[in-house]
Amino acid sequence: MGWNSWNYFGLIKNKPPSDTIIRAQAEAMVRSGMKAVGYTYVNIDDEWQGGRDSEGNIRPDPINFPHGMAALADYVHSLGLKIGIYSSPGKLSCAKRVGSYGHEQQDANTFASWGIDYLKYDWCSATGDPPTVFQLMSTALQNTNRPIIYSISNYGIDQPWMWGTASGANLWRVSPDVKDDFYIMAETGFGDNGLETYAGPTKGWNDADMLQIGNGGMNLGQYQMQMTLWCIMASPLIAGNDLTLLLDKHSKLQQEYRALLTNSDVIAVDQDPLGAQGRRVWEQGPQEIWRKTMSDGSTVVGVFNRVLGTVNVPLPFQQIGVKGTVDAYDLWAKKDLGKIQNGYLVSLGAFSAAMLKLTPIK
Ligand code: GLA
């Protein structure tokens, strides 16, 4: 769980990341309550790179990072958080900054010496066999002896879920870039069904890309749908908004975004120690039900209405793999629904999602 600079600063603001931005986001991660519910990694995405020195060492952009990366990492660590960085196995990153091609071990050593905890390694201009190319950086990171989370992306091409674990990755993107747009988000999220056998604590995670909550291109129901879907899928939760805006106590909208990002019952579904990725179990046109098995023996269902209009979706217990009568809890409404049985109706508004925890009665 964490935050990444790309969606808000790279795309919306057209601004490269900087020392000032990263410090402010890290502070906001703490003050907004995001850290308290588990968000930990403050990830610097593309456009931090400032080329290489005469010895080939990668350097941050000197204007945007005047104190250097080690000092920034120290600051982020002093807040009890971790720090991530970005590179590419190609000669150039996606934004045409210098990549790690031919400098894999040198860059891994540099990142480790700065105190980096997470690397997003993004295909961009790379060539060659992706499993082999990604393995090279994994070995380089391991050689540093610093634990560094390894997040790889080649946009879901060549089925990275089949070889991500063997290439040493902890998470792999399963699709093209998610955008702050309902239809792109839905295509990305709902399209990830069927990958559940590849994810888990000993394997790694299918990464559905960044959360868009707070960026303004979707309404609250649609953002709630993204959070629900991502948590049922056990996808990494990497926020993509400006966390400092969440600190505005007078903005009702920002407080709604904050509530969507920090609901600890919902996050517990994503972070459940069993690490089971959920899947679609029922579908009728634009209404869907997904289920996820939890380590405490309960089942969490996500119920989705992907279109306009209000609907009542019945829970078909047999199809969703639940038996008898269960205790039901509405995780978004934070409301006990009491005992429910086959056929229980879930009411949904336009473009919205519900998330229910169903616990067998002992
Ligand atoms: C690719 C990635 C994005 C982001 C940009 C940066 O598009 O998929 O997540 O890292 O590159 O240039």
Side-chain angles (χ1 to χ4, degrees):
M1 292 175 68
W3 172 88
N4 174 293
S5 62
W6 181 248
N7 290 106
Y8 185 78
F9 290 100
L11 289 178
I12 298 178
K13 291 285 168 187
N14 196 17
K15 246 184 165 180
S18 67
D19 184 277
T20 313
I21 288 174
I22 299 303
R23 281 174 199 250
Q25 294 300 313
E27 285 162 12
M29 190 179 275
V30 177
R31 289 176 51 214
S32 63
M34 298 272 289
K35 179 189 173 210
V37 294
Y39 294 87
T40 306
Y41 291 89
V42 180
N43 292 346
I44 306 170
D45 207 271
D46 208 352
E47 304 186 309
W48 66 268
Q49 309 91 322
R52 294 187 181 278
D53 68 15
S54 56
E55 280 153 18
N57 297 310
I58 197 161
R59 287 288 167 251
D61 179 314
I63 295 175
N64 289 330
F65 294 92
H67 314 297
M69 282 297 181
L72 180 57
D74 284 351
Y75 182 69
V76 171
H77 290 150
S78 77
L79 300 176
L81 300 170
K82 296 190 170 179
I83 185 164
I85 210 158
Y86 171 101
S87 195
S88 167
K91 286 186 180 155
L92 293 176
S93 73
C94 294
K96 309 273 183 283
R97 300 282 179 124
V98 68
S100 290
Y101 179 81
H103 292 267
E104 290 81 3
Q105 191 61 60
Q106 192 177 13
D107 287 358
N109 293 347
T110 302
F111 300 152
S113 76
W114 288 341
I116 295 293
D117 307 295
Y118 182 118
L119 173 68
K120 173 172 166 182
Y121 208 45
D122 196 8
W123 188 256
C124 304
S125 68
T127 52
D129 170 49
T132 315
V133 169
F134 281 120
Q135 169 80 59
L136 197 62
M137 183 51 102
S138 158
T139 306
L141 292 174
Q142 277 164 28
N143 289 342
T144 69
N145 286 323
R146 182 177 174 83
I148 298 178
I149 296 285
Y150 187 37
S151 153
I152 65 167
S153 172
N154 71 336
Y155 330 112
I157 301 163
D158 297 324
Q159 303 184 305
W161 48 89
M162 305 283 285
W163 44 264
T165 314
S167 291
N170 301 107
L171 58 154
W172 44 86
R173 281 269 303 279
V174 289
S175 42
D177 292 14
V178 78
K179 295 267 159 63
D180 187 24
D181 169 282
F182 176 70
Y183 294 98
I184 295 174
M185 181 283 289
E187 198 180 308
T188 308
F190 291 105
D192 289 348
N193 182 53
L195 300 181
E196 62 277 0
T197 54
Y198 304 101
T202 59
K203 300 172 188 166
W205 307 101
N206 290 311
D207 174 9
D209 206 3
M210 269 84 82
L211 296 171
Q212 298 301 317
I213 297 162
N215 282 335
M218 291 184 237
N219 65 32
L220 289 170
Q222 294 168 334
Y223 283 141
Q224 183 165 316
M225 195 181 296
Q226 187 185 23
M227 191 71 179
T228 304
L229 197 47
W230 264 234
C231 289
I232 297 261
M233 288 193 290
S235 176
L237 298 178
I238 309 288
N241 58 320
D242 177 356
L243 302 180
T244 66
L245 299 177
L246 301 178
L247 302 174
D248 182 356
K249 292 270 179 324
H250 304 294
S251 163
K252 191 165 170 279
L253 190 58
Q254 290 299 333
Q255 292 318 307
E256 312 240 46
Y257 293 151
R258 201 167 68 89
L260 287 178
L261 285 163
T262 59
N263 179 319
S264 49
D265 288 336
V266 168
I267 289 171
V269 176
D270 183 75
Q271 297 285 309
D272 184 66
L274 189 62
Q277 177 172 332
R279 65 188 171 91
R280 181 189 292 129
V281 285
W282 180 93
E283 187 178 16
Q284 203 164 81
Q287 280 89 44
E288 302 193 11
I289 302 176
W290 288 46
R291 66 156 280 163
K292 182 184 198 295
T293 305
M294 300 287 284
S295 54
D296 64 1
S298 66
T299 298
V300 170
V301 289
V303 190
F304 302 94
N305 178 28
R306 297 176 58 172
V307 289
L308 276 171
T310 312
V311 285
N312 287 321
V313 179
L315 289 183
F317 270 26
Q318 204 183 340
Q319 270 145 293
I320 64 174
V322 177
K323 288 199 185 84
T325 303
V326 294
D327 272 323
Y329 183 72
D330 183 328
L331 298 172
W332 282 118
K334 297 182 188 285
K335 191 175 154 204
D336 215 332
L337 304 175
K339 297 186 187 356
I340 67 164
Q341 286 175 321
N342 180 42
Y344 178 84
L345 290 179
V346 179
S347 300
L348 292 173
F351 298 107
S352 66
M355 205 176 193
L356 308 186
K357 182 165 166 137
L358 310 177
T359 307
I361 297 168
K362 295 230 170 68

